[in-house]
Amino acid sequence: MAWRWSQLVRTLQLGQSRFSNIHSRRLNLPLKFSIRVGATSSFQSRIYSSASSASSADSSPILPENSTTTKVVESTKAETILSSLNDSELAKFAAIAETWWDLEGPFKPLHLMNPTRLSFIRSTLCRCFRKDPYGPRPFEGLKILDVGCGGGILSEPLARMGATVTGIDAVDKNIKIASLHASLDPLTSSIEYCCTTAEQMVEEQRKFDAVIALEVIEHVANPAEFCKSLSALTIPSGATVISTINRSMRAYASAIVMAEYVLQWLPKGTHHWSSLLTPEELVLILQRASISVQEMAGFVYNPLTGKWSLSDDISVNFILFGTKNSQ
C-alpha cells in the first residue's frame, strides 16, 4: 500500500501539528477513528457504470443565452459573517466561470474525474444512510449540500440520483452558469443554487444529511475554520466528503508542474503548494471539527485510457469520507 498507515497513527498519537501555516497551536486530539482504504475498490467497480450514467448528462454544450433559470438565492449578509474566503482565489475562478461546461476548457480534468468521484460518494453515502447503491435514485430522501459547487458539475448528477441538492458558491458568475444549465433538465431544475458561503449558511442554521466539498479546501484562506463550518452544517451522524490534492513532491510534480505548466490542463497558478494539505493534516483538522474520518481513497489517472480510477495511492489526489460525531 502506497501510504503507510503506521505513519498516520504515530502522527495522531503524538498530536503533532505539522502545519503551522494553518493553525498556530498544537492539535492534541484523541485517536478515535477508523479509516478504510481500498475497501471501495471492488464495490466501486460494480456501481461505476451507474454513477457514470448519472453524470453522462453533464456532457452538455455551452449554454444558450435564452435559457430560463432555476432558483437562485443571493445572500445579502455574507459580508458581515466571518469567512474563510480567499479573495484572490475567487477572482481567479470568476475569470473562467463561463467555461464550466466546456468539456475541452479549464475544467476538463474535473469532468474526466467526475464519474470516479461519484463512485466514491455513491458507495460511502449509501453505506452511511443504508441506501441501495444499485437503485436508480439511491439518494432519494437525502438533503445534500455541494459547497463550492462551481458550475454544478457535481450538483446535477447528485440531483439525478434523487437527492435534494443545494449548491453554494461565493462566485456569482458560477451560480448563474450553474442555474442556467440546471434549468435545461427537469431532473436538475429543482436544485437550489445560492451565492453565499458555508459560514453564512451556518448563520442561517441550515442542516444537511451530507455536506460535500470537492477540490475546494485548497482554495480557502483558513481550512480549519472552513471544516468547522462544514461540520456545523451537517446533522449528527451525517456525512462529510472532501477531496483535495496532497502536499507531496509527487503532487507538486504532477498536479502543478505537469498539469499547469507542461500539459496546460489547468490555468497557471490554479494551485499553490503552500495551500495544500497532507492526509494526516486534514484528518487532524476534521477531528477537531468533530468529524471522524471513516474512509479514504486516492485518484489515479491513466494517460493511455484518459480515465481516472480509485486507488490506494493517495500521494497526489485523494478523497475522504467522514461522519459527524453524534455528540
Side-chain angles (χ1 to χ4, degrees):
M1 184 175 296
W3 190 38
R4 299 181 182 276
W5 286 109
S6 58
Q7 180 181 357
L8 172 58
V9 172
R10 282 199 305 274
T11 300
L12 292 172
Q13 287 175 329
L14 294 175
Q16 293 177 343
S17 175
R18 295 186 291 149
F19 48 110
S20 58
N21 60 318
I22 302 301
H23 203 284
S24 61
R25 294 177 298 178
R26 290 179 61 86
L27 298 180
N28 298 311
L29 301 173
L31 181 60
K32 289 184 179 180
F33 70 97
S34 172
I35 304 178
R36 299 175 54 194
V37 174
T40 59
S41 300
S42 60
F43 181 73
Q44 298 299 345
S45 64
R46 299 198 299 271
I47 65 172
Y48 178 84
S49 59
S50 298
S52 300
S53 62
S55 62
S56 61
D58 296 346
S59 303
S60 305
I62 301 301
L63 303 173
E65 295 181 356
N66 59 351
S67 299
T68 58
T69 59
T70 53
K71 181 179 180 182
V72 180
V73 180
E74 291 193 16
S75 174
T76 58
K77 300 189 297 180
E79 313 85 31
T80 64
I81 305 301
L82 178 63
S83 175
S84 60
L85 295 179
N86 185 320
D87 291 337
S88 63
E89 293 294 302
L90 295 182
K92 180 193 308 178
F93 285 98
I96 57 175
E98 295 180 357
T99 65
W100 269 105
W101 293 95
D102 180 359
L103 301 185
E104 297 299 323
F107 297 106
K108 179 180 178 179
L110 293 184
H111 285 278
L112 293 175
M113 190 184 291
N114 224 28
T116 308
R117 302 194 304 181
L118 287 165
S119 291
F120 182 88
I121 293 170
R122 184 170 187 149
S123 67
T124 52
L125 293 193
C126 284
R127 186 166 59 251
C128 178
F129 296 105
R130 299 183 179 181
K131 300 282 188 177
D132 179 11
Y134 305 107
R137 293 171 64 83
F139 295 158
E140 192 82 55
L142 295 182
K143 293 174 58 180
I144 299 180
L145 176 64
D146 182 8
V147 179
C149 64
I153 65 174
L154 178 71
S155 294
E156 290 196 12
L158 292 176
R160 293 189 185 99
M161 291 187 203
T164 299
V165 180
T166 298
I168 66 171
D169 200 289
V171 177
D172 183 59
K173 285 184 178 180
N174 287 346
I175 291 299
K176 290 178 178 177
I177 292 293
S179 175
L180 187 59
H181 194 274
S183 69
L184 303 179
D185 185 347
L187 294 178
T188 60
S189 60
S190 62
I191 298 174
E192 177 189 8
Y193 283 116
C194 309
C195 184
T196 187
T197 65
E199 291 83 1
Q200 177 61 32
M201 297 286 279
V202 173
E203 288 294 315
E204 297 171 3
Q205 299 183 348
R206 300 287 298 270
K207 294 289 184 180
F208 300 87
D209 299 300
V211 176
I212 301 175
L214 305 188
E215 280 69 53
V216 175
I217 196 168
E218 65 268 28
H219 301 291
V220 304
N222 191 326
E225 290 301 319
F226 179 70
C227 287
K228 288 179 182 178
S229 295
L230 300 186
S231 177
L233 292 166
T234 309
I235 65 172
S237 301
T240 301
V241 179
I242 297 176
S243 66
T244 187
I245 299 173
N246 193 348
R247 196 179 70 249
S248 66
M249 290 307 299
R250 183 177 174 187
Y252 180 79
S254 58
I256 296 180
V257 176
M258 186 63 68
E260 296 181 19
Y261 293 88
V262 179
L263 299 177
Q264 297 183 355
W265 285 350
L266 301 169
K268 295 177 181 178
T270 298
H271 298 106
H272 299 285
W273 171 258
S274 61
S275 299
L276 303 180
L277 297 170
T278 66
E280 298 98 324
E281 292 168 352
L282 186 51
V283 168
L284 288 168
I285 289 175
L286 289 171
Q287 278 197 332
R288 192 175 186 87
S290 300
I291 296 174
S292 299
V293 175
Q294 306 294 331
E295 187 169 333
M296 188 182 295
F299 294 133
V300 293
Y301 179 73
N302 186 332
L304 299 180
T305 63
K307 295 182 179 180
W308 292 83
S309 60
L310 291 171
S311 168
D312 289 346
D313 183 359
I314 60 174
S315 62
V316 182
N317 297 85
F318 67 95
I319 187 170
L320 61 80
F321 155 74
T323 56
K324 182 177 179 179
N325 299 340
S326 57
Q327 295 181 351

